[in-house]
Every structure is written in C-alpha cells, then in structure tokens.
Amino acid sequence: MANIQLFSTLKSAFLPSTDAVNGAGAPAYAMTPRHQLAQYAATGCLHATFYANAEAQLSAVTGLCSQLDSAFIARTAVYFRERGYMKDMPALLTAILANARAAELAPTFGRVVNNGKMLRNFVQILRSGAVGRRSLGSRPKKLVQAWLNQATEAQLLSAAVGNSPSLADVVKMVHPKPAEAWREAFFAWLIGKPVDMASLPPLTRAFEAYKRDRTQPLPDVPFQMLTALELGAQEWAQLALQGSWQMVRMNLNTFARHGVFALEGMTKLIADKLRNPALIAKAGAFPYQLMAAYQAASPDVPMEVRGALHDALELALGNVPVVMGKVVVCPDVSGSMSAPVSGARGTASSAIRCIDVAALVASAMLRKNPETLVLPFEVKVVSCALSPADKVLDNAAKLAAQPGGGTNCSAPLAWLNQHKVHAELVVFVSDNESWVDARRGASAMMAEWEIFKRRNPKARLVCIDCAPNASTQACERDDVLNVGGFSDEVFKIVAAFAEGKLDGRHWVGEIEAIELPVA
C-alpha cells in the first residue's frame, strides 16, 4: 500500500512557498501591489490597529501608489467610495492623484467627493503635506471652487458642520466666485462678514430667524447647528422626524434623554424609520453599524425601537449569499481580533471590534444557509453552539464572547480534514495574522487546503480580511479568493465567486472593471 504521508508531503512540495512576513512575524504570502492597495482601501482607517499604526498605513499606501498606474489608483478610490462606503482612504487616494497631476483627478474627484465631509477630508489631506505638498494647487483649487459653486444650500449647510478644516476655512482658501446672489450672501455669512439677512437662502434665513425667535418653525438644517440652543422634547422629536436615517440611528440615546420617546406616537415613527428598506439602502448601512447601535442603546430606548434595529440588520444582510451545497464559516476569535474594526481613535474609537464583524458574518451566513457549519478558531477550533433559528445578533454575541488566544488559520481546515467533512465553500473571517502554525515552505493553511481539495475537488476557499494587511495565509489562485472589508459588497463578491462568476483576477478584476472616462 502506498505511503500516504509520503505522497501528501510530496504533493505539498509543489505548493508555492511563502514569500513574506505578516504583522505577527510569521511566514505569509505577499499580495500583489494592486491587491495590497485594495486591501488597505477596504479596511484601512488611518488609525492604529492591533498590528499597524496610522503612520505605517499611510506609508504603505503612498509607497504602493508610487508603484501603480494612476488609472488603477483612481478606480480603487471610486470603488471603495461607491461600493465600500469608505471615507478616509478614497479621499487620500484622490489627494495622491492631485499631487501626481493625474489625468484621472477630475472624474475621480467628482465621484469620491460627493458631500461636504469628503470635500473637507480631501482639503485636509492635501494641506497636511501627507502626499508631498501643503497647498491645493491650481487644478484641485478649481475642483473645490466648482463643488462650492454647484452645491445646493442643504449640501453647503451639511458641509458647514465640522472643523479641521471648517467649510469657512475652505472658502477662505479657494475664494469661490459665485454666480448667484444667494450663494455670495451665504459665503459671506459663513465666514462672518456682514450680510443682509434678506439676501440669505431660505434654510439659512430660517435658521437665523429661529435663533432670534423660538416661536418660529424649527428650520430644516443639520441638527448639530441646533443642539446648542437648548431644545425641548418637541423640537428633538421634530429633528428625529426630519433627520437622516444615519442621524436617527446614531442619536437614539440622545432622543431618550430628551424625552422624545415619551411623546405619543414617536416610538412607532422612529421604529418605522429605522426599519424602512428604502432608507436603509440609501444610507448604505453596514450591518456592523446596526450591531453597534443595538449594543449601545440604553435601557431607556424602547424595545420596539431596538427590535427595529434588528429588523434593519436583517434587511442590511440581504446580500449574504445563499450557496448551493455545504458551507463552512470560520470566524477568528483570537486575541488580535479584539482591536476596533475602524482603528484606535481614542475616545472616538468604535465599540465594534474585528471579532464582532467576524461573528456577524458567520451568524449571517448561518441564517441564510441553515446547514452551515461554524468553526470558531484561535489556537484550535473552539466549541460554540449556534442555531440558525436564533437572532443574528444573539449568535454574533455568543461568538464574540469566546476567549481569545493565538492565531492558527490552519486549525479549522485541519479539523475538517480530521473529520473528513465534505463542503463546497469554506469562508474565513480573520485579521490573517496566523503565527501558531508557522512553518517553512508552503503555509500550513495551504497545505491543509490541498488535503481538503482532494476530497472536495470543486470546493472554493474565501478569506475575508477585516484588517489592513499586505499578506495572506492562502495564496490567490482559481479556487482561493482573498477579499477585504466589511460592507455588503464583500457578500456580493463572495456570492459571485461561489458561483464561479469572477474571472481569474477575482477581487482586483472587479476594481479594474470600474468605468472611469477621462476627457
């Protein structure tokens, strides 16, 4: 009889050897420069993570961009602004295009800088010197002027909320020359110059009138402009009704403190708003944002409203794929997954950790594919009883409560091989910093995957990375997909890959397919 161990060893010898070192100092596979930029754009937050500080991320991104053509940088910026709903990284990539005087700057700016917050981000990054300059330059200045001269009054008021720089600072930098009288009056009002109130546009005029006379109707302006005016319960209720979906999600505890839910009918109105499918889609809500709101809701927030958050979460998970055949999901519950998913921002750090995202993905896959096998892992596979009938948030909480340990990405595959499990799709959600199973040659994860493939020749492996990394434990090939991020776009990519609809370039190919005409 053939020596199985010998032939297994020989077969693994044909696997590619690792060629990089990950953040934990263990062997890994380097991603291509394009794939690395995509990974940083999908998960990078320009704030400290478990293995990388903000400066290291910035240095990595600028270094990668120096190796890549401007067309790919532009498509990456647009892809992750429009489909990944990212903010800082698309603004940084657009600023890099500005510094390089790239032909793609104008169309990229037009799609990335789609609100006042992004405009201020773009200006801040250029002025900081992070991309090699401390001035806007003529082309970026004209683009900013054009945005200011084309934005609606509502967009300008929204942009006026925030500092470093403020919109007033931006106006003083670029000196826009408005064609309309109302816009000229607005800019004068914004920077504190004397202005005839009658010449102001309607929303701004209503705001000034309300400040002088509280019997006036509550103006439809960003709520941050009103919070210093000591509003009562009725006024806060009106803000809840006219505010955006995201504004309402983020201010539930504020509404509770100001007595909004004690007003007749307000609990139902707010709950209906939160579970409205059209508003959820328009907001581009991340499932983890709803998890954060649910976890942060105080006991004073009514159960009906908390229930609406759960309903909204189920709707936000609409893109989780239903996969034919057996699915295995492996959430990483190791110690490094305790880092905030959007990086350490001091007191502004998100309460949602990488482990929460992993648990949410696993729970959602279980809900849509009830026969899914969930294998949480750290040094080894850990036991955690989950039911597809339970609420997604309840299952996610069980997974996230697992004790952390070292990271061993090969452990779930070794478990599947030991138990001779058959499956069509295996999904990992991890920060990819495996070190317990460090070895020479091919990674332990690839060696175990090769064994798994002998029993399951049509199986596919997906590695979802929730941290800004430049390496992986599973090298990219036809049956292996490495994808980063935590928006619903990731689920779409997984679904397409599971159905064999991605070309050989996989995730990078999706970015390269972005249409970006250049005049």
Side-chain angles (χ1 to χ4, degrees):
M1 184 175 181
N3 186 326
I4 296 176
Q5 183 176 1
L6 171 63
F7 285 100
S8 294
T9 303
L10 288 173
K11 187 160 188 177
S12 67
F14 292 100
L15 291 171
S17 295
T18 53
D19 56 0
V21 175
N22 64 20
Y29 295 101
M31 298 174 178
T32 66
R34 291 190 173 210
H35 200 133
Q36 288 182 42
L37 183 63
Q39 181 66 31
Y40 278 104
T43 59
C45 43
L46 298 178
H47 293 272
T49 61
F50 192 90
Y51 284 106
N53 59 31
E55 291 75 16
Q57 291 181 52
L58 176 61
S59 176
V61 170
T62 54
L64 287 166
C65 288
S66 69
Q67 306 173 42
L68 297 170
D69 60 277
S70 57
F72 183 77
I73 297 169
R75 287 181 170 87
T76 302
V78 170
Y79 182 92
F80 289 105
R81 180 65 188 136
E82 294 183 345
R83 302 189 191 179
Y85 312 117
M86 301 301 283
K87 298 174 184 176
D88 292 351
M89 280 296 179
L92 172 62
L93 295 178
T94 306
I96 288 171
L97 293 173
N99 188 56
R101 297 177 173 81
E104 294 82 4
L105 172 61
T108 304
F109 181 95
R111 292 170 69 173
V112 168
V113 181
N114 55 2
N115 61 40
K117 168 65 173 171
M118 292 301 295
L119 181 80
R120 291 189 293 105
N121 281 354
F122 173 75
V123 172
Q124 178 190 23
I125 291 170
L126 271 183
R127 295 274 293 177
S128 71
V131 297
R133 66 195 299 172
R134 291 188 178 275
S135 62
L136 291 184
S138 58
R139 288 183 67 207
K141 182 178 179 179
K142 288 179 180 178
L143 290 170
V144 173
Q145 288 173 334
W147 192 96
L148 291 169
N149 283 325
Q150 293 167 9
T152 65
E153 182 194 6
Q155 289 172 322
L156 289 170
L157 284 170
S158 178
V161 175
N163 295 297
S164 302
S166 67
L167 187 64
D169 294 331
V170 174
V171 168
K172 292 174 183 177
M173 286 179 206
V174 303
H175 305 291
K177 296 177 174 57
E180 306 98 332
W182 73 261
R183 201 180 297 271
E184 183 175 7
F186 178 89
F187 290 148
W189 169 84
L190 183 70
I191 63 177
K193 286 187 175 181
V195 62
D196 178 6
M197 291 297 156
S199 64
L200 288 171
L203 296 179
T204 311
R205 190 166 61 249
F207 172 64
E208 287 295 328
Y210 182 77
K211 287 191 332 185
R212 294 192 303 270
D213 180 4
R214 298 300 181 84
T215 65
Q216 295 288 317
L218 193 69
D220 187 13
V221 298
F223 82 98
Q224 295 94 332
M225 296 176 65
L226 299 166
T227 53
L229 304 181
E230 298 181 2
L231 304 179
Q234 291 288 349
E235 288 80 13
W236 274 104
Q238 184 62 36
L239 286 176
L241 293 177
Q242 67 191 36
S244 69
W245 184 91
Q246 289 283 22
M247 177 270 189
V248 172
R249 173 189 71 84
M250 296 170 67
N251 287 277
L252 295 177
N253 291 343
T254 301
F255 297 150
R257 285 197 306 273
H258 289 90
V260 171
F261 296 118
L263 300 176
E264 184 177 357
M266 283 307 300
T267 294
K268 184 178 187 304
L269 287 170
I270 290 176
D272 288 347
K273 188 169 192 172
L274 288 172
R275 61 165 64 96
N276 184 306
L279 295 179
I280 293 168
K282 182 180 179 181
F286 284 9
Y288 88 87
Q289 290 175 322
L290 288 153
M291 173 189 267
Y294 189 89
Q295 290 178 344
S298 76
D300 296 326
V301 175
M303 283 303 302
E304 183 178 352
V305 173
R306 294 195 224 180
L309 288 172
H310 191 273
D311 294 342
L313 174 63
E314 296 286 348
L315 289 168
L317 291 171
N319 288 315
V320 176
V322 175
V323 179
M324 300 301 294
K326 182 75 172 182
V327 179
V328 181
V329 183
C330 310
D332 182 352
V333 297
S334 65
S336 60
M337 294 288 285
S338 62
V341 72
S342 56
R345 301 168 182 247
T347 57
S349 295
S350 169
I352 299 299
R353 306 159 296 169
C354 292
I355 192 172
D356 296 312
V357 171
L360 189 59
V361 171
S363 303
M365 292 286 287
L366 178 66
R367 169 61 61 85
K368 297 296 286 285
N369 302 275
E371 299 302 315
T372 293
L373 174 62
V374 179
L375 295 179
F377 72 95
E378 26 106 344
V379 173
K380 62 183 185 304
V381 170
V382 298
S383 177
C384 184
L386 304 176
S387 169
D390 290 343
K391 292 181 178 179
V392 169
L393 286 174
D394 290 341
N395 279 332
K398 290 179 186 177
L399 285 169
Q402 296 298 312
T407 308
N408 181 358
C409 287
S410 64
L413 291 172
W415 189 97
L416 293 173
N417 289 330
Q418 179 185 352
H419 292 83
K420 295 183 168 37
V421 173
H422 290 270
E424 281 66 44
L425 180 68
V426 180
V427 179
F428 276 71
V429 192
S430 172
D431 63 1
N432 232 356
E433 300 290 0
S434 193
W435 58 270
V436 174
D437 54 354
R439 50 176 274 177
R440 293 181 179 178
S443 72
M445 186 175 185
M446 282 305 294
E448 292 290 351
W449 177 245
E450 195 67 28
I451 296 170
F452 184 83
K453 285 281 289 185
R454 290 206 287 276
R455 287 195 323 281
N456 303 274
K458 295 183 179 180
R460 292 173 179 263
L461 173 64
V462 176
C463 300
I464 302 175
D465 199 330
C466 52
N469 294 316
S471 65
T472 176
Q473 290 296 302
C475 56
E476 193 94 346
R477 62 186 202 183
D478 288 347
D479 61 335
V480 178
L481 166 69
N482 287 283
V483 60
F486 25 81
S487 73
D488 61 358
E489 183 66 18
V490 172
F491 290 128
K492 294 177 185 177
I493 294 290
V494 172
F497 180 69
E499 296 174 11
K501 293 182 178 179
L502 295 185
D503 66 21
R505 297 171 299 168
H506 293 172
W507 189 36
V508 169
E510 292 294 294
I511 298 168
E512 291 174 334
I514 288 286
E515 293 186 6
L516 193 71
V518 177

Coordinates of all heavy atoms in Angstrom, one line a residue, residues 109 119-120 122-124 126-127 133-150 156 165-178 183 187 190-191 193:
F109 N -12.4 62.9 -8.5 CA -12.9 63.9 -7.5 C -14.4 63.9 -7.6 O -15.1 64.0 -6.6 CB -12.3 65.2 -7.8 CG -12.7 66.3 -6.9 CD1 -11.9 66.6 -5.8 CD2 -13.9 67.0 -7.1 CE1 -12.3 67.7 -4.9 CE2 -14.3 68.1 -6.3 CZ -13.5 68.4 -5.2
L119 N -15.3 66.6 0.9 CA -14.6 67.8 0.5 C -13.6 68.3 1.5 O -12.4 68.5 1.2 CB -15.6 68.9 0.2 CG -14.9 70.2 -0.4 CD1 -14.6 70.1 -1.8 CD2 -15.9 71.4 -0.1
R120 N -14.0 68.3 2.8 CA -13.1 68.8 3.8 C -12.0 67.8 4.1 O -10.9 68.1 4.4 CB -13.9 69.1 5.1 CG -14.8 70.3 5.0 CD -15.4 70.7 6.3 NE -16.4 69.8 6.8 CZ -16.2 69.0 7.8 NH1 -15.0 69.0 8.4 NH2 -17.1 68.1 8.2
F122 N -10.6 65.8 1.8 CA -9.7 66.0 0.6 C -8.8 67.2 0.9 O -7.6 67.1 0.7 CB -10.5 66.2 -0.6 CG -9.7 66.5 -1.9 CD1 -8.9 65.5 -2.5 CD2 -9.7 67.8 -2.4 CE1 -8.1 65.9 -3.6 CE2 -9.0 68.1 -3.5 CZ -8.2 67.2 -4.1
V123 N -9.4 68.3 1.3 CA -8.6 69.5 1.5 C -7.6 69.3 2.7 O -6.5 69.7 2.6 CB -9.5 70.7 1.8 CG1 -8.7 72.0 2.2 CG2 -10.3 71.1 0.5
Q124 N -8.1 68.7 3.7 CA -7.3 68.5 4.9 C -6.1 67.6 4.5 O -4.9 67.9 5.0 CB -8.1 67.8 6.0 CG -7.3 67.4 7.2 CD -8.0 66.5 8.2 OE1 -8.9 65.8 7.8 NE2 -7.6 66.5 9.5
L126 N -4.6 67.2 1.6 CA -3.7 67.9 0.7 C -2.9 68.9 1.5 O -1.7 69.1 1.3 CB -4.4 68.6 -0.4 CG -4.6 67.8 -1.7 CD1 -5.3 68.7 -2.8 CD2 -3.3 67.3 -2.3
R127 N -3.6 69.7 2.4 CA -2.9 70.7 3.1 C -2.0 70.2 4.2 O -1.1 70.9 4.7 CB -4.0 71.6 3.8 CG -4.8 72.4 2.8 CD -4.2 73.7 2.4 NE -4.1 74.6 3.5 CZ -3.5 75.8 3.5 NH1 -3.0 76.2 2.4 NH2 -3.5 76.6 4.5
R133 N 2.7 67.7 -0.5 CA 2.5 69.1 -0.8 C 1.7 69.7 0.4 O 1.0 69.0 1.1 CB 1.8 69.3 -2.1 CG 0.4 68.8 -2.1 CD -0.2 68.7 -3.5 NE -0.3 69.9 -4.2 CZ -0.7 70.0 -5.5 NH1 -0.9 68.9 -6.2 NH2 -0.8 71.2 -6.1
R134 N 1.8 71.0 0.5 CA 1.0 71.7 1.6 C 0.1 72.7 1.0 O -0.5 73.5 1.8 CB 1.9 72.3 2.6 CG 2.7 71.2 3.4 CD 3.4 71.9 4.6 NE 4.1 70.8 5.4 CZ 3.5 70.2 6.4 NH1 2.3 70.4 6.7 NH2 4.2 69.3 7.0
S135 N -0.1 72.8 -0.3 CA -1.0 73.7 -0.9 C -2.0 72.9 -1.8 O -1.7 71.8 -2.2 CB -0.3 74.7 -1.7 OG 0.4 74.1 -2.8
L136 N -3.1 73.5 -2.1 CA -4.0 72.8 -3.0 C -3.5 72.7 -4.4 O -3.7 71.6 -5.1 CB -5.4 73.5 -3.0 CG -6.2 73.5 -1.7 CD1 -7.5 74.1 -1.9 CD2 -6.4 72.0 -1.2
G137 N -2.9 73.7 -5.0 CA -2.5 73.7 -6.4 C -3.7 74.1 -7.2 O -4.9 74.1 -6.8
S138 N -3.4 74.5 -8.5 CA -4.4 75.2 -9.3 C -5.6 74.2 -9.7 O -6.8 74.6 -9.6 CB -3.8 75.7 -10.6 OG -3.1 74.7 -11.3
R139 N -5.3 73.0 -10.1 CA -6.4 72.1 -10.5 C -7.2 71.7 -9.3 O -8.5 71.8 -9.4 CB -5.8 70.8 -11.2 CG -5.2 71.1 -12.6 CD -4.7 69.8 -13.2 NE -5.8 68.9 -13.5 CZ -5.6 67.5 -13.5 NH1 -4.5 67.0 -13.2 NH2 -6.7 66.8 -13.8
P140 N -6.7 71.2 -8.2 CA -7.5 70.9 -7.1 C -8.3 72.1 -6.6 O -9.5 72.0 -6.2 CB -6.5 70.4 -6.0 CG -5.4 69.9 -6.8 CD -5.3 70.8 -7.9
K141 N -7.7 73.3 -6.6 CA -8.4 74.5 -6.2 C -9.6 74.8 -7.1 O -10.7 75.1 -6.6 CB -7.5 75.7 -6.3 CG -8.1 77.0 -5.8 CD -7.1 78.2 -5.9 CE -7.7 79.5 -5.4 NZ -6.7 80.6 -5.5
K142 N -9.5 74.6 -8.4 CA -10.6 74.8 -9.3 C -11.7 73.7 -9.0 O -12.9 74.0 -9.1 CB -10.2 74.7 -10.8 CG -9.3 75.9 -11.2 CD -8.9 75.7 -12.6 CE -8.0 77.0 -13.0 NZ -7.5 76.8 -14.4
L143 N -11.3 72.5 -8.7 CA -12.3 71.4 -8.4 C -13.1 71.8 -7.2 O -14.3 71.6 -7.1 CB -11.6 70.1 -8.3 CG -11.1 69.5 -9.6 CD1 -10.2 68.3 -9.3 CD2 -12.2 69.1 -10.5
V144 N -12.4 72.3 -6.1 CA -13.1 72.7 -4.9 C -14.0 73.9 -5.1 O -15.1 73.9 -4.7 CB -12.0 73.0 -3.8 CG1 -12.7 73.5 -2.6 CG2 -11.2 71.7 -3.4
Q145 N -13.5 74.9 -5.9 CA -14.3 76.0 -6.2 C -15.6 75.5 -7.0 O -16.7 76.0 -6.7 CB -13.6 77.0 -7.1 CG -12.5 77.7 -6.4 CD -11.6 78.6 -7.4 OE1 -11.5 78.2 -8.6 NE2 -11.0 79.6 -6.9
A146 N -15.5 74.6 -7.9 CA -16.6 74.1 -8.7 C -17.6 73.5 -7.7 O -18.8 73.6 -7.9 CB -16.2 73.2 -9.8
W147 N -17.1 72.7 -6.8 CA -18.0 72.0 -5.8 C -18.8 73.0 -5.0 O -20.0 72.9 -4.9 CB -17.2 71.1 -4.9 CG -18.1 70.2 -4.1 CD1 -18.4 68.9 -4.4 CD2 -18.8 70.5 -2.9 NE1 -19.3 68.4 -3.4 CE2 -19.5 69.3 -2.5 CE3 -18.9 71.6 -2.1 CZ2 -20.3 69.3 -1.4 CZ3 -19.7 71.6 -0.9 CH2 -20.4 70.4 -0.6
L148 N -18.1 74.0 -4.5 CA -18.8 75.1 -3.7 C -19.8 75.9 -4.5 O -20.8 76.3 -4.0 CB -17.7 76.0 -3.2 CG -16.8 75.4 -2.1 CD1 -15.6 76.4 -1.8 CD2 -17.5 75.2 -0.8
N149 N -19.5 76.0 -5.8 CA -20.4 76.8 -6.7 C -21.5 76.0 -7.3 O -22.4 76.6 -7.9 CB -19.6 77.5 -7.8 CG -18.9 78.7 -7.3 OD1 -19.3 79.4 -6.4 ND2 -17.7 79.0 -7.8
Q150 N -21.5 74.7 -7.1 CA -22.6 73.8 -7.6 C -23.4 73.2 -6.5 O -24.5 72.7 -6.8 CB -21.9 72.7 -8.5 CG -21.3 73.3 -9.8 CD -20.4 72.2 -10.5 OE1 -20.4 71.1 -10.1 NE2 -19.7 72.7 -11.5
L156 N -24.4 72.6 1.3 CA -23.4 73.6 2.0 C -23.6 73.6 3.5 O -22.6 73.7 4.2 CB -23.6 75.0 1.3 CG -23.1 75.1 -0.1 CD1 -23.6 76.4 -0.7 CD2 -21.6 75.0 -0.2
P165 N -10.3 71.1 8.3 CA -10.8 72.5 8.3 C -12.3 72.6 8.3 O -13.0 71.7 8.0 CB -10.2 73.0 6.9 CG -10.4 71.8 6.0 CD -10.1 70.6 6.9
S166 N -12.7 73.8 8.7 CA -14.2 74.1 8.6 C -14.5 74.5 7.2 O -13.5 74.8 6.4 CB -14.5 75.2 9.5 OG -13.9 76.4 9.1
L167 N -15.7 74.5 6.8 CA -16.1 74.9 5.4 C -15.7 76.4 5.3 O -15.3 76.8 4.2 CB -17.6 74.8 5.2 CG -18.0 75.0 3.8 CD1 -17.4 74.1 2.8 CD2 -19.5 75.0 3.6
A168 N -15.8 77.2 6.3 CA -15.4 78.6 6.3 C -13.9 78.7 5.9 O -13.5 79.5 5.1 CB -15.6 79.3 7.6
D169 N -13.1 77.8 6.5 CA -11.6 77.8 6.2 C -11.4 77.5 4.7 O -10.6 78.1 4.0 CB -10.9 76.7 7.0 CG -10.9 77.0 8.5 OD1 -11.0 78.2 8.9 OD2 -10.9 76.1 9.3
V170 N -12.2 76.5 4.2 CA -12.1 76.1 2.8 C -12.4 77.3 1.9 O -11.7 77.6 0.9 CB -12.9 74.9 2.5 CG1 -12.9 74.6 1.0 CG2 -12.5 73.7 3.3
V171 N -13.5 78.0 2.2 CA -13.9 79.1 1.4 C -12.8 80.2 1.4 O -12.5 80.8 0.3 CB -15.3 79.7 1.9 CG1 -15.6 81.0 1.3 CG2 -16.4 78.7 1.6
K172 N -12.2 80.4 2.5 CA -11.2 81.4 2.6 C -9.9 81.0 1.8 O -9.2 81.8 1.3 CB -10.8 81.7 4.0 CG -11.9 82.3 4.9 CD -11.4 82.4 6.4 CE -12.5 83.0 7.2 NZ -12.2 83.0 8.7
M173 N -9.7 79.7 1.7 CA -8.6 79.2 0.9 C -8.7 79.4 -0.6 O -7.8 79.7 -1.3 CB -8.4 77.7 1.2 CG -7.8 77.3 2.5 SD -7.7 75.5 2.6 CE -7.8 75.2 4.4
V174 N -9.9 79.0 -1.1 CA -10.1 78.9 -2.5 C -10.8 80.1 -3.2 O -10.8 80.3 -4.4 CB -10.8 77.6 -2.9 CG1 -10.1 76.4 -2.4 CG2 -12.3 77.6 -2.4
H175 N -11.4 81.0 -2.3 CA -12.1 82.2 -2.8 C -13.0 81.9 -4.0 O -12.8 82.4 -5.1 CB -11.1 83.3 -3.2 CG -10.1 83.6 -2.2 ND1 -10.4 84.3 -1.0 CD2 -8.8 83.3 -2.0 CE1 -9.4 84.4 -0.2 NE2 -8.4 83.9 -0.8
P176 N -14.1 81.2 -3.8 CA -15.0 80.9 -4.9 C -15.7 82.2 -5.4 O -16.0 83.1 -4.6 CB -16.0 79.9 -4.3 CG -16.0 80.3 -2.8 CD -14.6 80.6 -2.5
K177 N -16.0 82.2 -6.7 CA -16.7 83.4 -7.3 C -18.1 83.0 -7.7 O -18.3 82.5 -8.9 CB -15.9 83.9 -8.4 CG -14.5 84.5 -8.0 CD -13.7 84.9 -9.2 CE -12.4 85.6 -8.8 NZ -11.5 84.7 -7.9
P178 N -19.0 83.1 -6.8 CA -20.4 82.5 -7.1 C -21.1 83.4 -8.1 O -20.9 84.6 -8.2 CB -21.1 82.6 -5.8 CG -20.4 83.6 -5.0 CD -18.9 83.6 -5.4
R183 N -25.8 82.6 -3.1 CA -24.5 81.9 -2.8 C -23.5 82.9 -2.3 O -22.8 82.6 -1.3 CB -24.0 81.1 -4.0 CG -23.1 80.0 -3.7 CD -22.6 79.3 -4.9 NE -23.7 78.6 -5.6 CZ -24.1 77.4 -5.4 NH1 -23.6 76.7 -4.5 NH2 -25.1 76.9 -6.1
F187 N -21.8 82.6 1.5 CA -20.4 82.6 1.8 C -20.0 83.7 2.7 O -19.1 83.5 3.6 CB -19.6 82.6 0.5 CG -19.7 81.4 -0.3 CD1 -19.6 81.4 -1.7 CD2 -19.9 80.1 0.3 CE1 -19.7 80.3 -2.5 CE2 -20.0 79.0 -0.5 CZ -19.9 79.1 -1.9
L190 N -21.1 82.7 6.1 CA -20.3 81.6 6.6 C -19.0 82.1 7.2 O -18.6 81.6 8.3 CB -20.0 80.6 5.5 CG -19.3 79.3 5.8 CD1 -20.1 78.4 6.7 CD2 -18.8 78.6 4.5
I191 N -18.4 83.0 6.6 CA -17.0 83.4 7.1 C -17.1 84.6 8.1 O -16.1 85.2 8.5 CB -16.1 83.8 5.9 CG1 -16.6 84.9 5.1 CG2 -15.9 82.5 5.1 CD1 -15.6 85.3 4.0
K193 N -18.8 87.7 7.7 CA -18.8 89.0 7.2 C -20.3 89.6 7.3 O -21.2 88.8 7.4 CB -18.5 89.1 5.7 CG -17.0 88.9 5.4 CD -16.7 89.1 3.9 CE -15.2 89.0 3.6 NZ -14.9 89.2 2.2

